[in-house]
């Protein structure tokens, strides 16, 4: 699919879909509970759909009723040795969250992976699980697992993926006996771990935390609330808020949770550092252009924001430096490389460093054709960059936005274009 975006600044108001990060977590908690529940989720992306498919393969029954509600009937029965086929698409969250859960349930399963997911790191997680009773083998894009996960001591590095930690935290309460989970070194994307902690606590799961060590009692029962609501997604809101930072009229994003644990809510602080005017009124956030100058961004805790921040920086006065973003080389694409290539194709002055990017802003970009590199965030960042361009921007492979935001192009079209 190819999309051509009219050059020019955007203004207007949009409502972004539900947070896929929170939806993954609440779906898992609901599927592990004892009672049926309802999850109100405004928009089902490919990644959310992958988690639903995999939880159903494990024995759950999750169905959409067409009104933005997911009816969740929990996983039933014990492992019977039958191989469960879990099709997780390109969703790293689905894979890393459910590997330990499958082990805690004693399931024999095969995860079917697509796209770049088979090359993304998972060894640190499977190594620690192998030491506690699970067995793994790999055949191309298929990961086979069996064995029953046992309680005990778990040690995992914190600088590869927060998803390892979340997956273990979902699984440990189900084991026969108390476990400890120690996270070593620096912890990346801590806000995502807090989201997991919140989901567990709201589902009746108990644990203690001292420093970077969790103590998790076993034989716990998940207790999902009868109805839960998934927050709107700050990661997706960031694209439109950055568009607003280019426009004197601004862009408003509705239905945003201002007290969210979502780490990408930090986009507001980043936009202020660029000189933008940021106003929050209830659950509506409006961003307008006040000034637009370069800044320094530490991306350690907000890696998913880097492509759209760079797209904004390409038209800012002065230089913007992105630091501590090395993990982006292990995403759906090498996002440092593909962000640089996409913006260079549109006329930006951007260069890669070992773990970041340097963007020298220009008064305007030429426009042209950008390859989305099968990466949803690169495709949407190209739409942000169109606000700086003199000519239209054509995005090839634009269908990849379905991974996180299937309605993105329609929502973009709903905004007014100004010069």
């Amino acid at each position: 699919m190819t999309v051509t975006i009219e050059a020019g600044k955007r203004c207007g108001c949009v409502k972004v879909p539900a947070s896929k990060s929170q939806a993954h977590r609440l779906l898992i908690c609901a599927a592990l509970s004892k009672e049926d529940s309802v999850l109100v989720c405004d928009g089902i992306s490919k990644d959310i759909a992958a988690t639903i498919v995999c939880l159903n393969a494990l024995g759950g029954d999750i169905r959409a009723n067409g009104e933005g509600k997911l009816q969740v009937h929990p996983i039933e029965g014990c492992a019977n040795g039958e191989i469960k086929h879990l099709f997780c698409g390109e969703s790293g969250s689905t894979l890393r969250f459910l590997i330990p859960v499958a082990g805690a349930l004693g399931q024999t399963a095969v995860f079917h992976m697509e796209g770049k997911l088979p090359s993304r790191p998972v060894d640190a997680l499977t190594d620690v699980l192998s030491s506690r009773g699970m067995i793994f083998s790999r055949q191309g894009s298929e990961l086979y697992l069996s064995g029953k996960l046992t309680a005990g001591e778990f040690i995992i590095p914190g600088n590869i993926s927060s998803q390892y930690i979340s997956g273990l935290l979902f699984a440990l309460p189900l084991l026969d006996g108390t476990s400890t989970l120690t996270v070593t070194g620096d912890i990346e994307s801590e806000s995502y771990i807090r989201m997991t902690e919140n989901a567990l606590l709201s589902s009746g799961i108990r644990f203690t935390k001292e420093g970077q060590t969790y103590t998790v009692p076993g034989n716990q029962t998940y207790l999902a609330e009868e109805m839960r609501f998934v927050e709107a997604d700050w990661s997706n809101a960031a694209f439109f808020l950055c568009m607003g930072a280019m426009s004197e009229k601004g862009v408003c994003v509705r239905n945003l949770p201002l007290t969210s644990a979502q780490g990408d809510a930090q986009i507001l602080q980043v936009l202020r550092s660029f000189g933008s005017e940021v106003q929050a009124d209830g659950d509506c956030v409006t961003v307008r252009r006040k000034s637009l100058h370069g800044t320094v961004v530490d991306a350690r805790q907000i890696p998913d924001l880097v492509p759209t921040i760079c797209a904004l920086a390409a038209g800012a006065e002065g230089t913007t430096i992105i630091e501590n973003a090395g993990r982006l080389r292990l995403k759906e694409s090498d996002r440092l490389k593909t962000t640089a290539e996409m913006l260079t194709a549109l006329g930006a002055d951007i260069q890669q460093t070992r773990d970041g990017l340097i963007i020298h802003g220009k008064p305007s970009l030429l426009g042209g054709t950008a390859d989305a590199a099968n990466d949803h965030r690169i495709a949407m960042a190209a739409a942000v960059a169109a606000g700086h361009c003199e000519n239209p921007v054509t995005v090839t492979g634009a269908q990849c936005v379905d991974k996180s935001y299937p309605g993105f192009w329609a929502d973009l079209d709903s905004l007014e274009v100004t010069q």
Side-chain angles (χ1 to χ4, degrees), residues 51-70:
T51 291
I52 292 172
V53 166
C54 291
L55 289 170
N56 286 345
L58 289 172
D61 186 1
I62 304 172
R63 302 183 185 185
N65 70 359
E67 300 175 356
K69 294 180 180 179
L70 295 169

Side-chain angles (χ1 to χ4, degrees), residues 162-185:
S162 65
Q163 294 167 353
Y164 298 166
I165 302 157
S166 291
L168 286 163
L169 288 174
F170 287 126
L172 299 187
L174 303 174
L175 306 184
D176 293 328
T178 296
S179 297
T180 60
L181 170 60
T182 299
V183 184
T184 60

Side-chain angles (χ1 to χ4, degrees), residues 40 42 123 127 133-134 214 280 284 337 363 390:
V40 181
D42 182 12
D123 288 350
D127 286 349
M134 293 184 68
Y214 296 85
C284 296
K337 179 175 182 286
E390 301 171 2

Side-chain angles (χ1 to χ4, degrees), residues 299-319:
R300 186 184 303 278
Q301 303 299 335
I302 51 170
D304 287 342
L305 294 180
V306 166
T308 188
I309 291 171
C310 290
L312 177 63
E317 182 179 354
T319 298

Side-chain angles (χ1 to χ4, degrees), residues 263-307:
D264 285 350
Q266 291 181 48
I267 187 62
L268 299 187
Q269 285 86 343
V270 174
L271 289 171
R272 290 187 179 103
S273 76
F274 273 103
S276 305
E277 177 185 327
V278 178
Q279 293 182 333
D281 183 11
D283 64 355
C284 296
V285 176
T286 302
V287 177
R288 298 182 181 88
R289 180 169 184 149
K290 187 176 180 181
S291 64
L292 190 57
H293 54 74
T295 188
V296 177
V297 178
D298 184 340
R300 186 184 303 278
Q301 303 299 335
I302 51 170
D304 287 342
L305 294 180
V306 166

